Amino acid sequence: MEQNRQTTNDTKTFSACSEWNLKSLFSSHKQAVSSCTKIFNASKRFNKSFQGRLSSIPPNEFLSIFEEYESLCEQIGRVLTYGFLLFAQDTKKGAVYAELEQKAQRAQNELLFFEIELCALDTKQRQAIAACAQKYAFYLKKLGMQEKHLLSLKEEQILLKTSAISTDAFSRLFDEHLAQMRFKVDEELLNEEEILSKLHHVNRKLRKKAQKSFTKGLAKSRHLLGFILNVVRKDVALKKELRGYAKSESFRHLSNCISQKSVDKLVELVNANFAMVQRYYKIKSHLLGIKDLKDYDRYAPLEFQEDSKKGSKTTHNLEYSKALSLVLSSFDEFSPVFGKIAREAIKNGWVDSHPRENKRGGAFSHGSVPSAHPYVLLNHTDSRRDAFTIAHEFGHMIHQELSKKVGYLNMDTPLTTAETASVFAEMLLFDSLKNSLPKDELLSLYVGKLEDIFSTLFRQIVMTNFEREIHNRSGELSVDELDRIWLTENKKMFGDSLKLTKNYASWWCYIPHFIHSPFYCYAYAYGQLLVLSLFGLYKKSPDTQTRQKFIATYLDFLSLGGSQSPRKLVKKFGFDIEDSTFWTLGMDEVKRLLKEFEDLL
């Protein structure tokens, strides 16, 4: 009962929308600029003290050196975070972002030598240093893994200085351009987030209009967006050559602390189970009464009944305050720690919630720096899907907030484990709703959840397959070639269960991960299967004591951030990510959910 009272009070206090309070970073742009000068001078002193000397410094002196270096990196990170968040709120502030980025890079340039010289130390020296500075042991180990791919100090400095006019510049152009695009539906001009939400509308004619309008809008920018993607392809190919990576995607696996073999096993397993997606969409076609499903029907909801007692609709359409209450309730049921962090975030300006003119689309949680707090960007459009987006990004936020204690150099997690907390939070919300909704609404809930899983698991591997194909080809690819590859890879997932129209061919254009983080997408699938395995373990706990032990282990897992390898972190739960059967456990949970859905029919 206490929990219900808390949720009721939450609903009364939530505002209709919220914006970030960036004062935990800087009180003003002027203060941020002033900070850059101090950081540059401090970094220059660090450079003068230690450049060229690391090999002769006794191991027992390195702890204080690491702490000084970490403090400088965090100060630079604070400036870069502030600039990025200003830009995300208003993409017309690109000049401000560029100014702060340039000033921060001056300090970064002074510190570049540090990791390069650490990598140049022999293995015994690094081991001796790690023994004296155990907090940074895994950080040192990761540097050792990067050793053979680092260039000379001068070369690394050149790459850093030119980054603002290379792919970073095209990433910024991509964001600014997408943020300014508008799509017309029934005399209404919509941004990217708003028009994509129409694909979840119950009205098929409106979904089709939205699909056509979005395609028409993308067509106007197809050449530009194709050019940007080709620039990214050239950049990946160039770095593969310069740094000596075995494959175009190798750099990503290295940063994710995961083997190529493990990624290949994941991709192979998901590709081999596309039949599950096809099986589901054939059922959905029958439920919707649509003989030939089209791509704009993928996310069509099942209509809910009107709740005559309350006089309001069920959870298909959710205002922001109601969605927050549902998420908080599901967090409270799992752990008071989750609910406490989420409420603090809502209350103290950690969240920017709704679409606005020139605001960046999509959603993310930025970990910021340990001396501040994470920042969450949402674009809430009152759909139930948006409630799961809140849960997803709040999961990231909780992970980032808990991992602050391991410090700036250790808090960032590899993408493979970074998606664990977000997808787990979605499962908490799903489980909470599943246990509270009346039976006649469960079908729609399962439809939404299965489609989320298909999007996070199967669709992300389709995107990985697409990236593998375009990065394995030489030369510049025309937009028509990109269209053909996109359709070919997507058709493998849907088979004959759903028709991909010619309008869908160009929808590779707006995917930000292809531009910002090549070969990122498989991490979602990795996180999804890992979470399904973990959540299955949690739900199968035979008693309260076992369940509390799991929760304690899970909180410890999140709190460790990136201070241990993914393999070591996951072993806390008794799983081995290098064992091929590991992936099968998660896929079995997908099959179980699909079977539960079929049983409801």
Side-chain angles (χ1 to χ4, degrees):
M1 293 298 293
E2 182 60 33
Q3 197 175 79
N4 292 335
R5 284 199 296 273
Q6 176 68 66
T7 301
T8 302
N9 291 336
D10 285 336
T11 307
K12 290 177 181 177
T13 56
F14 293 150
S15 61
C17 64
S18 57
E19 294 185 25
W20 286 327
N21 178 358
L22 299 181
K23 289 185 178 179
S24 75
L25 297 168
F26 294 103
S27 60
S28 65
H29 171 246
K30 183 179 179 181
Q31 188 190 32
V33 171
S34 174
S35 176
C36 288
T37 303
K38 296 174 184 176
I39 298 166
F40 174 71
N41 290 334
S43 298
K44 204 167 184 179
R45 288 193 296 272
F46 184 86
N47 182 297
K48 189 175 180 180
S49 298
F50 300 112
Q51 185 175 358
R53 291 189 52 231
L54 295 190
S55 60
S56 61
I57 296 175
N60 61 0
E61 293 183 17
F62 268 89
L63 179 59
S64 60
I65 296 172
F66 276 130
E67 289 171 343
E68 184 179 354
Y69 174 74
E70 182 172 50
S71 174
L72 291 169
C73 289
E74 180 171 345
Q75 291 174 58
I76 293 169
R78 180 182 287 269
V79 172
L80 292 172
T81 295
Y82 183 72
F84 170 72
L85 296 179
L86 284 174
F87 176 68
Q89 276 190 313
D90 182 357
T91 54
K92 286 190 173 182
K93 290 185 177 178
V96 176
Y97 183 22
E99 175 200 13
L100 292 173
E101 191 175 47
Q102 186 178 33
K103 290 181 180 297
Q105 280 182 355
R106 289 180 68 222
Q108 285 179 312
N109 194 56
E110 296 295 325
L111 301 178
L112 263 180
F113 79 92
F114 188 68
E115 292 191 350
I116 293 173
E117 285 193 28
L118 283 174
C119 284
L121 300 177
D122 63 47
T123 305
K124 285 185 177 179
Q125 281 180 293
R126 282 201 299 269
Q127 288 174 344
I129 293 169
C132 295
Q134 291 187 10
K135 179 182 176 183
Y136 302 98
F138 185 63
Y139 165 75
L140 277 167
K141 185 178 179 180
K142 286 191 292 184
L143 284 181
M145 293 163 62
Q146 296 278 2
E147 178 186 357
K148 64 180 180 180
H149 303 296
L150 284 174
L151 306 177
S152 69
L153 175 59
K154 193 66 180 175
E155 289 168 327
E156 293 289 354
Q157 287 175 327
I158 291 170
L159 286 177
L160 176 64
K161 285 184 177 181
T162 56
S163 63
I165 55 171
S166 59
T167 49
D168 285 358
F170 286 98
S171 292
R172 175 183 154 190
L173 174 62
F174 178 88
D175 284 346
E176 289 184 12
H177 188 75
L178 264 291
Q180 291 170 17
M181 289 180 74
R182 293 296 177 268
F183 309 90
K184 192 174 182 180
V185 177
D186 293 337
E187 305 306 316
E188 187 179 9
L189 286 177
L190 306 172
N191 64 22
E192 175 197 341
E193 204 68 33
E194 291 167 332
I195 194 165
L196 288 176
S197 73
K198 300 295 184 187
L199 297 175
H200 297 256
H201 201 279
V202 69
N203 187 312
R204 194 183 193 208
K205 288 182 179 178
L206 181 58
R207 295 198 302 271
K208 188 175 182 179
K209 282 182 183 178
Q211 182 241 40
K212 284 186 174 181
S213 177
F214 191 57
T215 302
K216 187 177 179 181
L218 290 177
K220 295 176 184 176
S221 302
R222 208 154 147 260
H223 175 75
L224 171 64
L225 298 174
F227 182 83
I228 292 172
L229 183 54
N230 272 305
V231 168
V232 172
R233 289 179 60 244
K234 291 172 185 176
D235 182 72
V236 169
L238 180 62
K239 286 177 180 172
K240 174 178 178 281
E241 178 188 345
L242 289 176
R243 298 191 182 278
Y245 293 124
K247 293 187 174 186
S248 297
E249 63 193 73
S250 298
F251 77 98
R252 183 63 66 199
H253 311 329
L254 201 59
S255 67
N256 283 340
C257 306
I258 190 172
S259 68
Q260 181 73 50
K261 180 182 176 182
S262 183
V263 175
D264 289 343
K265 288 287 183 185
L266 165 67
V267 173
E268 287 168 14
L269 178 69
V270 176
N271 285 335
N273 281 276
F274 281 156
M276 263 200 287
V277 179
Q278 295 160 22
R279 180 170 132 204
Y280 165 79
Y281 276 105
K282 286 177 181 178
I283 296 171
K284 185 171 184 178
S285 175
H286 173 72
L287 290 173
L288 290 172
I290 300 173
K291 185 178 179 182
D292 298 311
L293 281 184
K294 304 287 179 67
D295 51 80
Y296 52 81
D297 296 317
R298 281 175 304 158
Y299 304 121
L302 299 181
E303 291 187 72
F304 285 136
Q305 298 293 321
E306 194 77 17
D307 188 334
S308 58
K309 291 182 181 178
K310 296 181 181 177
S312 61
K313 287 188 176 179
T314 61
T315 52
H316 175 54
N317 291 303
L318 288 173
E319 292 181 355
Y320 182 56
S321 59
K322 177 63 175 173
L324 285 176
S325 293
L326 290 171
V327 171
L328 288 174
S329 178
S330 68
F331 284 4
D332 289 336
E333 289 172 24
F334 180 70
S335 167
V337 174
F338 276 38
K340 182 181 177 183
I341 294 173
R343 286 183 176 84
E344 184 180 356
I346 296 163
K347 181 181 177 183
N348 295 325
W350 301 14
V351 184
D352 195 306
S353 61
H354 285 69
R356 288 192 308 279
E357 188 75 16
N358 299 315
K359 180 181 171 182
R360 174 176 162 165
F364 64 74
S365 180
H366 192 298
S368 185
V369 291
S371 51
H373 55 72
Y375 284 88
V376 173
L377 180 135
L378 303 169
N379 278 282
H380 195 82
T381 55
D382 291 350
S383 73
R384 187 176 65 195
R385 177 171 168 261
D386 288 337
F388 282 94
T389 299
I390 293 172
H392 184 101
E393 300 306 339
F394 276 28
H396 278 309
M397 173 188 72
I398 289 166
H399 193 177
Q400 291 157 349
E401 179 67 8
L402 289 173
S403 66
K404 289 194 320 188
K405 71 176 187 180
V406 295
Y408 186 77
L409 295 179
N410 286 321
M411 69 179 287
D412 282 342
T413 58
L415 298 177
T416 41
T417 47
E419 290 302 330
T420 307
S422 54
V423 181
F424 195 92
E426 288 186 59
M427 287 301 296
L428 290 174
L429 177 59
F430 170 74
D431 199 56
S432 178
L433 290 174
K434 183 177 76 171
N435 294 328
S436 62
L437 288 177
K439 195 171 182 179
D440 60 352
E441 293 182 28
L442 282 177
L443 267 179
S444 294
L445 181 69
Y446 270 86
V447 163
K449 189 62 214 166
L450 283 166
E451 287 173 8
D452 282 342
I453 289 175
F454 292 158
S455 180
T456 308
L457 179 57
F458 293 100
R459 185 168 179 260
Q460 298 302 326
I461 293 301
V462 166
M463 291 185 182
T464 300
N465 293 336
F466 172 77
E467 284 191 286
R468 282 182 164 183
E469 185 63 27
I470 65 172
H471 285 284
N472 283 340
R473 297 196 182 193
S474 57
E476 192 160 306
L477 295 175
S478 69
V479 287
D480 290 335
E481 287 175 299
L482 291 167
D483 284 357
R484 282 194 292 272
I485 297 168
W486 177 252
L487 273 182
T488 298
E489 295 303 331
N490 276 273
K491 282 178 179 178
K492 291 175 184 176
M493 178 171 76
F494 293 110
D496 63 354
S497 67
L498 180 146
K499 182 181 178 183
L500 296 173
T501 66
K502 62 180 181 180
N503 285 336
Y504 188 68
S506 61
W507 283 31
W508 52 267
C509 284
Y510 78 97
I511 308 296
H513 290 320
F514 296 161
I515 309 303
H516 297 303
S517 310
F519 296 105
Y520 180 111
C521 293
Y522 76 83
Y524 284 110
Y526 184 110
Q528 180 72 77
L529 287 181
L530 172 57
V531 163
L532 287 169
S533 298
L534 293 181
F535 201 78
L537 186 66
Y538 166 62
K539 293 301 291 183
K540 290 170 187 173
S541 300
D543 51 52
T544 303
Q545 186 177 358
T546 307
R547 182 166 291 198
Q548 289 303 314
K549 184 179 178 183
F550 174 91
I551 293 169
T553 303
Y554 185 66
L555 289 172
D556 182 47
F557 168 90
L558 298 183
S559 299
L560 287 167
S563 63
Q564 294 180 11
S565 71
R567 188 178 188 185
K568 189 173 181 180
L569 287 171
V570 174
K571 272 192 173 181
K572 291 177 177 292
F573 301 98
F575 296 127
D576 185 355
I577 61 172
E578 294 296 330
D579 186 342
S580 58
T581 58
F582 161 71
W583 303 115
T584 309
L585 294 171
M587 193 61 75
D588 286 344
E589 288 295 312
V590 183
K591 292 175 182 176
R592 182 184 61 78
L593 281 170
L594 182 56
K595 180 66 167 57
E596 287 178 8
F597 169 67
E598 290 172 330
D599 289 344
L600 282 171
L601 298 175

